[in-house]
Amino acid sequence: EMITVRVPAGSASEVSVLITDASGRRVMEQRAPYASNVQLSLAGLANGTYTVLVVHGDLRWETRFVKLP
């Protein structure tokens, strides 16, 4: 189980992706060199609603997804 996060172009060389569960608890954090697409494994995450925060330099992008059985 994977998701792909598209990262807009920016001036920073590193991308940070943070995933939190519905209660706001951090369940995953990944830092990587800039790429237009970052793939994340959802293995080990329980079913439920999650928030993804992507930080790339001064750019911040947030969305939600639902992991289903």
Side-chain angles (χ1 to χ4, degrees), residues 51-67:
T51 300
V52 179
L53 173 64
V54 178
V55 179
H56 183 220
D58 293 337
L59 301 174
R60 294 173 60 90
W61 176 71
E62 187 175 304
T63 192
R64 290 188 174 89
F65 71 92
V66 177
K67 183 178 179 200

Side-chain angles (χ1 to χ4, degrees), residues 20-61:
T20 57
D21 64 14
S23 67
R25 184 177 59 95
R26 182 181 301 177
V27 295
M28 183 185 303
E29 183 171 1
Q30 180 174 327
R31 293 175 191 249
Y34 171 75
S36 59
N37 293 311
V38 176
Q39 289 198 335
L40 302 170
S41 171
L42 301 181
L45 293 184
N47 296 333
T49 302
Y50 294 88
T51 300
V52 179
L53 173 64
V54 178
V55 179
H56 183 220
D58 293 337
L59 301 174
R60 294 173 60 90
W61 176 71

